[in-house]
Each structure stands twice: as C-alpha cells, then as structure tokens.
Amino acid sequence: HHHPPPPPPPPPPLSTLPAAVAEPDGSRKGILETATRVRRRDGSVFIEEKDDSGAMRQEFIGHEEKPQYVREQESGVSSLQPKMFDRANGTWKRVSRDLIENERKPYAAEGMHSENQGKHAQVPGPLKVVTYNVWFDPRNQAARADAIFRILEQSHATVIALQEVTNAFLMRLRDQPWVRERYVLSDTTGTTLRGSFAYGVCMLVSKTHVQLHTLSLHIHALPTQMNRSLLVANFSYGSSVWAVGTVHLESLDNVELRQQQLRVAFGALVRSVGDAAQRQARCNADVKTGFTPEQSSGAGAIGAGAGAGAGAGAG
C-alpha cells in the first residue's frame, strides 16, 4: 500500500516577506544599501549607491592611473604578448618564466647554447634581420610559402619580419618544425591581421640569440587608409638594446602618406629603444638608426640600437 506524497508547505504569510516586497505603497524600506565602485576612462573613481528612496547618489573619491587599454588607445600603441611553442602539450603559449626555463638546453643546430642558460647571452655574431613581403594573393600561395620557408629556415636570422601575412600563411608558418623550435612569434592566431584583405605584419624573434626575458612587442598606429601599422620588437642582444620594426607602407599613389608613416615609424623606434635603454640603465647610450628607403610603396624592416648596436634594415 503506497501513501501519496505530502503536499508542499503553504507560502509564508505576507508579514514574513522582506519589508520592501510586503509594503503596498511600493517603498523600498528594508532593502540593503549597495555601493558600487566605478572607475571612468580618465581614471577618476566614484562610489555609487542608492539611498532608501531608490535614488542614485555618487561620491567622488579620487583618481587612479588610467587602465592600460585606455592608455594604449590614446597613445596609438598596443602591446602584444610574444608566443612560444610549448613542446610539452603541443600548443603555442604566452612566453612565461616556466616556458623559458624549459628552453634551457643546447641548440646544436645553431652551434651555441640557448640564451636562457643565463641572462647574459653570448652573442654569436652580428644581429641578422631578414624581411620579406610574402604577397597576400592566394595564387600558388602554398608553394610560394614553402619556398620562402626554406629560405628563412636556412637564414638562421635573429629577427624575421614579414608583411602581407594572411591567416592561411600564418597557420602554415606556425606549424613549421623549425619555427616551433627556434622562434618566438608576434601572432599565432591572426588577431593582428586587418583590412578587407585580412593581412598584416608578423615577426619571428630567435630564442637562441635574444634574451627572452627582455623581449617586448608593440603595434603602433600609423596615418593610413589601408589599415597599415608598425610592429616593433624590443630586446637585448648581448650588451646592446635593440628595437626592430616592420611596416607595410601605404600602397599606390600615396607618396605623402608614406612619408608621414616613415616619420612616425622612426620616431617610434627611437622612443622604443630609448625606453628600453633606460629600463636597463643605459640612459647615456648613443642611439643610431638605419634604413634603406624604398622608391615607391613597399615593406621592410627598420631598426634602432643602443650601446654597441647599430641600425639594421632593408627596403
């Protein structure tokens, strides 16, 4: 013999509900006051809270440093997180202390030890920059990419700067065994590719030559109608502080705009290497820049060095 389940308990009487719900006149008596801390884009900080009547009250309490995303938007400079391939799980990850520690091993192919054996890497020779405009067009893209990859692999460059990089090219690039083994990438997912053609600039920085704990990457906005930008890598190379940038200047009949872009690029490089030098107590170092200018539109790498370094570039 089965007994039916007991009926649910009756709802509580009105008098036991919160006062703000029970009051028929709609007053908010009984609701706890809540305060919210609000920070505006300019860094000003307020406390917002509702009083018993439900009205919002705001009190200014001071200023804080602007959020990083606001500072970057206002300055036209955005930081990027360098990516390193993690062999343990087969994925690209943000460069971290743990990943750098895992790179402590001899690089027999380079004929040297990883710079991560210590903070002061032994420089193998002159800093070597290789730059290519890889052409965004899909015609024979896979075959052209593989041919370029063979050249880049054999170059053993300190920095590889590429322009007109599409998402398809980038995916193929990041899967190359020699890239995973030797280089840190500025982008592995295509987040920096812009415009109707969805292409952009990309940089590979050697793990065996550069002191990774000093590496930083930044995208600099340019005057442009074609979503062009400057990518700059800052790092220490032996006793020198370096800033190496890559840019795809405005195409077609835009001479004045390209000149403006070059002025912005050189200013950004000098400021970048100066800031890096100050961070490493090299405020008295001479800053030198070098660039091989192009006659029309084009792409290339430009660089600035502090200390024992000199500029390196290609048009």
Side-chain angles (χ1 to χ4, degrees):
H1 181 68
H2 297 284
H3 296 282
L14 189 62
S15 60
T16 63
L17 295 176
V21 179
E23 293 292 336
D25 62 359
S27 69
R28 303 181 64 83
K29 182 179 179 181
I31 289 184
L32 295 176
E33 292 187 8
T34 58
T36 303
R37 186 175 183 273
V38 178
R39 182 177 62 181
R40 296 180 177 175
R41 287 178 59 92
D42 63 359
S44 57
V45 181
F46 295 82
I47 293 294
E48 290 184 348
E49 57 184 351
K50 291 184 178 180
D51 57 24
D52 289 341
S53 66
M56 183 67 71
R57 184 168 60 88
Q58 191 178 75
E59 179 184 357
F60 173 74
I61 62 173
H63 277 93
E64 291 183 352
E65 186 179 17
K66 293 181 181 180
Q68 181 177 352
Y69 78 93
V70 174
R71 298 197 306 272
E72 291 181 348
Q73 288 175 358
E74 293 178 348
S75 67
V77 181
S78 301
S79 59
L80 298 179
Q81 294 294 334
K83 301 298 192 303
M84 178 188 294
F85 188 71
D86 184 2
R87 290 187 296 269
N89 57 27
T91 59
W92 288 89
K93 290 185 176 181
R94 178 184 301 184
V95 173
S96 65
R97 183 180 300 274
D98 290 341
L99 281 180
I100 291 177
E101 290 295 322
N102 292 338
E103 289 294 319
R104 289 185 173 181
K105 67 181 187 63
Y107 280 73
E110 300 285 348
M112 68 194 76
H113 289 278
S114 167
E115 53 86 9
N116 300 310
Q117 302 263 349
K119 290 187 176 180
H120 303 286
Q122 181 178 359
V123 179
L127 187 146
K128 186 177 184 180
V129 178
V130 175
T131 178
Y132 270 94
N133 183 315
V134 301
W135 193 32
F136 72 93
D137 197 282
R139 283 175 286 182
N140 301 316
Q141 190 176 65
R144 291 188 291 107
D146 290 341
I148 291 175
F149 293 159
R150 288 192 291 270
I151 295 173
L152 297 178
E153 180 182 8
Q154 296 170 9
S155 72
H156 295 284
T158 312
V159 178
I160 297 173
L162 304 175
Q163 307 86 37
E164 293 198 30
V165 173
T166 63
N167 193 67
F169 184 96
L170 181 60
M171 298 303 104
R172 200 175 188 90
L173 173 69
R174 73 175 193 178
D175 289 341
Q176 299 300 306
W178 60 273
V179 173
R180 294 180 170 187
E181 174 67 18
R182 301 186 204 166
Y183 289 94
V184 170
L185 287 180
S186 62
D187 188 356
T188 58
T189 59
T191 57
T192 61
L193 308 183
R194 297 286 187 268
S196 57
F197 295 114
Y199 63 44
V201 291
C202 180
M203 197 174 292
L204 297 79
V205 180
S206 173
K207 295 190 295 187
T208 64
H209 297 165
V210 170
Q211 299 171 20
L212 290 184
H213 66 283
T214 68
L215 175 64
S216 64
L217 297 168
H218 293 86
I219 288 279
H220 296 254
L222 296 175
T224 179
Q225 299 175 356
M226 298 181 177
N227 292 284
R228 304 298 167 86
S229 58
L230 168 71
L231 172 60
V232 177
N234 293 92
F235 54 85
S236 292
Y237 187 76
S239 59
S240 302
V241 177
W242 281 81
V244 178
T246 182
V247 61
H248 186 192
L249 299 177
E250 207 83 354
S251 305
L252 307 178
D253 188 19
N254 288 294
V255 176
E256 291 185 4
L257 198 51
R258 287 194 292 274
Q259 292 174 345
Q260 295 176 31
Q261 291 172 341
L262 280 175
R263 284 193 288 270
V264 172
F266 273 111
L269 282 170
V270 171
R271 287 191 301 273
S272 294
V273 77
D275 292 344
Q278 288 180 6
R279 287 194 299 269
Q280 299 196 25
R282 295 183 179 276
C283 300
N284 60 344
D286 293 330
V287 176
K288 302 177 182 179
T289 61
F291 183 65
T292 303
E294 50 204 354
Q295 300 301 317
S296 59
S297 68
I302 48 183

